Amino acid sequence: MSDTIIIKEKPLTYSAAQAARDMSGTATPAGEKGSRVSEGPSGSKPEKTLSRRNIILYGTLIVVALYYLLPLYVMVVTSMKGMPEIRLGNIFAPPMEVTFEPWVKAWSEACTGLNCDGLSRGFLNSVQILVPSVILSIIIASVNGYALANWKFKGGELFFTILIVGAFIPYQVMIYPIVIMLREIGLYGSLTGLVIVHTIFGMPILTLLFRNYFASMPEELFKAARVDGAGFWQIYFRIMLPMSLPIFVVAIILQVTGIWNDFLFGVIFTKPDLYPMTVQLNNIVNSTQGVIEYNVNMAATILTGLVPLSVYFVSGKLFVRGIAAGAVKG
Amino acid sequence: MAVTARPARWHRNLSAKIAAIPMIATALVVFVGGTAWTVLYSFTNSKLLPRQKFVGLDQYERLWGSAKWIISIQNLAIYGAFSLVFALVVGFLLAALLDQKIRFEDTFRTIFLYPFALSFIVTGLAWQWILNPDFGVQAVVRGMGFESFTFDPLYNPDIVIYGVLIAGLWHETGLIMCLMLAGLRGIDEDIWKAARVDGIPVWKTYLFIVIPMMRGIFVTAVVLIASGIIKVYDLIVAQTGGGPGISSEVPAKYVYDAMFLSQNLGQGFAASTMMLLSVIIVVVPWAYLEFGGKARRV
Amino acid sequence: MTSVSVRDLTLKFGSLEVLRTLNLDISEGEFLVLLGPSGCGKSTLLNCIAGLLDISDGQIFISGKNVTWEEPKDRGIGMVFQSYALYPQMTVEKNLSFGLQIAGVPKDEIARRIARASEILQIQPLLKRKPSQLSGGQRQRVAIGRALVRDVDVFLFDEPLSNLDAKLRAELRVELKRLHQNLKNTMIYVTHDQIEALTLADRIAVMKGGIIQQLDEPLTIYNRPVNLFVAGFIGSPSMNFLPGRIIGTGDQARVDLGQGLSVPLAGYEAGGPVGDGLDVVFGVRPEHLTVTREPTSGPSLPAVVELVEPMGADSLVWLRLGPHAMSVRTESTVKLLPGDAVNVTFDLHHASLFDASTEERI
């Protein structure tokens, strides 16, 4: 599925959009059309940057973009104001007096009702959950996808189908049996247990991603390696891995954002002192004791969103592929 | 020349089979086994711990007699219907706008999509703040002189789910737009040329030619949105906590509360089985239409 | 001595029989071409011999050893693929040495073999390059080199020239033939291109529907095809097929082509008795027909020119002969125009006669 979601760059030739623009007689002044006809096929259409059509088009886009940016803007300005200013002022107004104290407080002092060491604890927990989960899930899924694509074995397709169908089952249906299983092996409430859960629920989409990628590589390459005497692992490490860097990046982006943003598994499968950042954040903001410090809350919210946001802005188009694939996740 | 018999099959592709063990275990133990276990225990009166004391459909009767569950289902229906329609329409319109060969296309796309990188917790908290009646939009408009202006969805039980909807749409529309844009870019340019030669207006070309051609993308988008709707949990927890009262409860939260807060496992199992049932009702017809007799080509 | 031997090979994908109890013996040093349309099972058969597909039934022997269940690397084969299948991240040298390293061949031996192969194929200047820096022809040379360094008795080629343009294909074809003459390895070569098959092969196996239709030397296949399929598949432009009926017996037998036209069969070497009244298909290649404006002394039939396709050295003339349309290859010096009345003479030594119901040669 992910492969259908590559945003193609527009070729410089006559494009659909150009055609659409040329066709939009309603938005193009009649005079412009007429002049174009008289110029004949060799003349290029004169571009009026301030045509009515462009004003409507860009106007709409800018208004929508402002709507999308608004929450981020409000979060940032709120987090830089002092509480008195928040109580008196307008949430859309820029801070009169910029302060970074809420950020410091959110990071190291904010209370969750259980402890008062801020988000830093959640951040460290999230990192400790994230790194092994991403590595383990990608190793398992890539080897599995490779086995499914290249070393077809009896039952492989059946189990893969179950896996993909399973991705549509609501997590709630499978949560309690997993709690019991983890409890039986003594991992319930531990980071290891949560890593296993992330690996399990990341498996359908990652396996699909890798299987389709490896299946799209030329089959003859695999055959040639077999004639050369390379076995399962030699082909994986020496032929397939060096050729599949892009898909690994996509998988990493997908898993990093997905696992970092997880709330449900974190709250169910860990204990309060091991809660990941999202759970910690929710507990800070939605804990009802004391005076609500909106500026600290917003600073904490931004801090939590910072990791996936940086991944997003750095990786650009690969991110689109990654999340598009991830969105298929049950 | 000597004839040899086929050797034992089990060790052929042995490495591949070993590599597939996690998949096989997950598929059988967690997905099949776990689901079967939950469905089975939804017929018991398990409370704090799962018990094999079967009580028939008691849990389901209690479930459907519970106001909290009925509200959860209503909320899910409202949220689902609006979210589906708005995400598809807005997503497609934005994609069509971006497909006009505009400048700064990448910038606009980056802006429309960034909310999707954020977690539902962050999304919910941000919108909780903006919709805060004392400081947010309502306060700002009142401050401009419209004293009677009221916009407090998160504090009004009748419209709280629409307040959640605003945040949900903000989060997901960018993804749908990206899908639609990919779909639009996949349309052969000759189609546009042919429509132009035939003198068909642009809006008609979109409506009667382009959208039908993008059927696959729309199906994908619907499946994406639908599977997102049933999962809605974090957003509610962060933005409203199910309140005011129980007016913004959703099934996923009902299940969590029953299992982990009120020690009512049987209710949790029954509610999650209903969630499974609703997914089956949506997914099975789709899979049947999509894959028909060739179900093996997943 | 037999080099590769296939015994009763059957391959099924589910209930679909892709190859049916197939038997094939290839002698040492022979260049055998598997020829057929796509989907005929020729590549599948090659993959079975290579060990890349598990067969359902039968046995495969290479150099006297039963390799039916051996891994590809243990069969003593080298293989060249249509898409070259060079490992993109490795240099040419690494591509050549990869298999040898895995097999644990000593370093100096690897160097010796690479030196020899690259000399034979003239790829020494390319050794440090990556495949992406090579042209199609160079890539295919490297791919052949990869088979060469394995120092094996049997080479398998899976449509190795199909991805190349026409000119390069012709060049490499000659090179392959020369390579075979020098190395004298057994070669099994899959192609759908009959020119390649006819020019390269010691013997050709024409396949269709998972069955070898005819296994013979190229000229025998060309001149004496065993059935309608082989006759139609080999030769370009393809053979004329004229449906008719046998009248008379022995020396007096003729093929009645309808509308009072008939061809005497005297001179045709029939494989068996030609029965009176049998429905047949009379096949004759365009170059085994002669067109003259004047009636000739031999058996000739009147026809009308419908279309002329000049092809350079010769022209293809489309004729209407009674109810039949047929093509004749003539020298371009013969000037013919549509509508011209001509006489057609058949070369019975090179004609073919097929039973219309069984489609087998008579």
Side-chain angles (χ1 to χ4, degrees), chain A residues 240-283:
Chain A
M240 297 300 179
L241 267 194
M243 291 175 68
S244 31
L245 193 67
I247 202 70
F248 274 88
V249 174
V250 167
I252 290 170
I253 293 169
L254 166 63
Q255 284 300 82
V256 168
T257 45
I259 293 171
W260 192 270
N261 286 342
D262 163 69
F263 176 81
L264 182 68
F265 297 148
V267 80
I268 290 175
F269 293 101
T270 55
K271 299 184 291 238
D273 55 334
L274 296 176
Y275 277 157
M277 204 167 178
T278 44
V279 181
Q280 195 89 354
L281 167 72
N282 187 54
N283 289 350

Side-chain angles (χ1 to χ4, degrees), chain A:
Chain A
M1 233 161 179
S2 72
D3 288 346
T4 60
I5 307 166
I6 308 158
I7 308 290
K8 282 193 295 185
E9 276 308 305
K10 260 192 182 290
L12 287 169
T13 53
Y14 186 87
S15 72
Q18 224 173 333
R21 184 176 356 166
D22 291 352
M23 275 187 292
S24 57
T26 48
T28 319
E32 201 176 306
K33 272 222 137 147
S35 69
R36 189 157 172 269
V37 171
S38 62
E39 277 170 25
S42 61
S44 65
K45 183 174 166 182
E47 285 285 341
K48 275 193 193 166
T49 42
L50 273 180
S51 67
R52 226 178 77 201
R53 176 186 167 280
N54 273 353
I55 292 171
I56 293 172
L57 179 60
Y58 285 95
T60 314
L61 284 172
I62 288 168
V63 167
V64 177
L66 286 179
Y67 166 74
Y68 273 89
L69 286 173
L70 181 80
L72 189 62
Y73 167 78
V74 170
M75 279 192 280
V76 172
V77 287
T78 305
S79 74
M80 292 178 177
K81 291 175 185 169
M83 271 316 284
E85 190 184 335
I86 290 177
R87 284 200 196 91
L88 296 171
N90 176 333
I91 64 163
F92 299 113
M96 291 181 286
E97 212 175 311
V98 174
T99 167
F100 289 100
E101 203 190 329
W103 290 69
V104 176
K105 202 169 176 196
W107 179 252
S108 54
E109 292 164 33
C111 294
T112 61
L114 291 162
N115 49 51
C116 280
D117 41 14
L119 272 177
S120 54
R121 176 198 292 265
F123 178 82
L124 289 178
N125 288 338
S126 273
V127 171
Q128 283 180 59
I129 295 163
L130 184 74
V131 173
S133 299
V134 170
I135 293 174
L136 186 67
S137 62
I138 288 180
I139 289 176
I140 289 180
S142 66
V143 175
N144 187 27
Y146 157 71
L148 285 170
N150 290 309
W151 298 82
K152 298 187 175 64
F153 55 93
K154 219 174 184 171
E157 284 297 306
L158 173 71
F159 291 118
F160 179 66
T161 308
I162 296 177
L163 194 74
I164 297 302
V165 171
F168 286 96
I169 302 174
Y171 295 144
Q172 282 75 12
V173 180
M174 295 172 285
I175 280 176
Y176 208 83
I178 297 177
V179 168
I180 294 177
M181 281 184 260
L182 288 179
R183 197 183 280 149
E184 286 301 310
I185 53 176
L187 291 176
Y188 180 56
S190 70
L191 290 182
T192 315
L194 185 54
V195 168
I196 293 173
V197 171
H198 279 306
T199 306
I200 285 174
F201 286 108
M203 203 181 291
I205 181 60
L206 288 182
T207 303
L208 180 72
L209 198 69
F210 281 107
R211 171 184 169 273
N212 289 356
Y213 185 83
F214 288 129
S216 73
M217 303 214 315
E219 200 194 352
E220 292 195 334
L221 212 55
F222 172 74
K223 288 182 177 176
R226 285 198 66 195
V227 172
D228 266 342
F232 184 88
W233 296 107
Q234 278 166 322
I235 296 180
Y236 176 75
F237 282 110
R238 299 191 58 182
I239 310 292
M240 297 300 179
L241 267 194
M243 291 175 68
S244 31
L245 193 67
I247 202 70
F248 274 88
V249 174
V250 167
I252 290 170
I253 293 169
L254 166 63
Q255 284 300 82
V256 168
T257 45
I259 293 171
W260 192 270
N261 286 342
D262 163 69
F263 176 81
L264 182 68
F265 297 148
V267 80
I268 290 175
F269 293 101
T270 55
K271 299 184 291 238
D273 55 334
L274 296 176
Y275 277 157
M277 204 167 178
T278 44
V279 181
Q280 195 89 354
L281 167 72
N282 187 54
N283 289 350
I284 288 174
V285 176
N286 284 329
S287 71
T288 43
Q289 356 161 280
V291 185
I292 306 173
E293 293 176 291
Y294 296 106
N295 50 358
V296 176
N297 288 352
M298 285 303 111
T301 308
I302 296 173
L303 279 171
T304 310
L306 225 46
V307 167
L309 269 190
S310 343
V311 173
Y312 174 62
F313 287 114
V314 169
S315 56
K317 277 179 189 155
L318 280 173
F319 184 89
V320 179
R321 282 190 67 183
I323 55 159
V328 194
K329 210 171 175 179

Side-chain angles (χ1 to χ4, degrees), chain A residues 7 14 16-17 23 58 68 72 78 90-91 144 151-152 172-173 176 203 261 286 294 308 312 317 327 330, chain B residues 13 23 26 38 99 103 109-110 113-114 117 128-129 135 140 170 173 189 192 196 224 231 238 252 265 272:
Chain A
I7 308 290
Y14 186 87
M23 275 187 292
Y58 285 95
Y68 273 89
L72 189 62
T78 305
N90 176 333
I91 64 163
N144 187 27
W151 298 82
K152 298 187 175 64
Q172 282 75 12
V173 180
Y176 208 83
M203 203 181 291
N261 286 342
N286 284 329
Y294 296 106
Y312 174 62
K317 277 179 189 155
Chain B
N13 278 352
M23 169 182 78
T26 299
T38 299
D99 196 33
R103 292 166 122 205
R109 201 176 56 210
T110 307
L113 189 58
Y114 89 89
Q128 185 195 52
W129 173 235
F135 302 102
V140 170
W170 178 76
T173 319
E189 290 180 7
W192 283 104
R196 190 187 177 203
L224 281 186
K231 281 193 303 185
L265 285 179
S272 59

Side-chain angles (χ1 to χ4, degrees), chain C residues 187-326:
Chain C
M187 293 187 175
I188 308 178
Y189 187 106
V190 165
T191 183
H192 62 263
D193 180 341
Q194 46 169 311
I195 306 292
E196 271 171 37
L198 292 168
T199 50
L200 288 170
D202 292 327
R203 281 193 304 164
I204 298 175
V206 183
M207 292 185 67
K208 183 200 168 196
I211 294 172
I212 295 180
Q213 305 285 323
Q214 187 170 8
L215 173 60
D216 241 317
E217 286 167 20
L219 282 183
T220 314
I221 287 194
Y222 189 79
N223 289 322
R224 299 181 63 83
V226 294
N227 58 30
L228 267 179
F229 169 75
V230 176
F233 188 74
I234 302 275
S236 173
S238 53
M239 186 183 270
N240 295 298
F241 291 128
L242 312 174
R245 176 172 289 176
I246 302 289
I247 40 175
T249 51
D251 288 348
Q252 299 305 310
R254 306 170 72 82
V255 186
D256 177 10
L257 298 174
Q259 294 186 1
L261 301 168
S262 69
V263 182
L265 278 179
Y268 179 73
E269 294 155 31
V274 182
D276 191 2
L278 184 69
D279 282 324
V280 293
V281 175
F282 183 63
V284 60
R285 295 197 183 278
E287 59 268 40
H288 298 145
L289 291 163
T290 328
V291 183
T292 48
R293 287 185 187 279
E294 307 305 319
T296 52
S297 54
S300 67
L301 294 173
V304 179
V305 175
E306 286 198 322
L307 191 77
V308 180
E309 287 184 273
M311 299 195 300
D314 42 22
S315 300
L316 199 62
V317 180
W318 289 88
L319 302 177
R320 177 140 296 273
L321 176 80
H324 311 289
M326 59 195 297

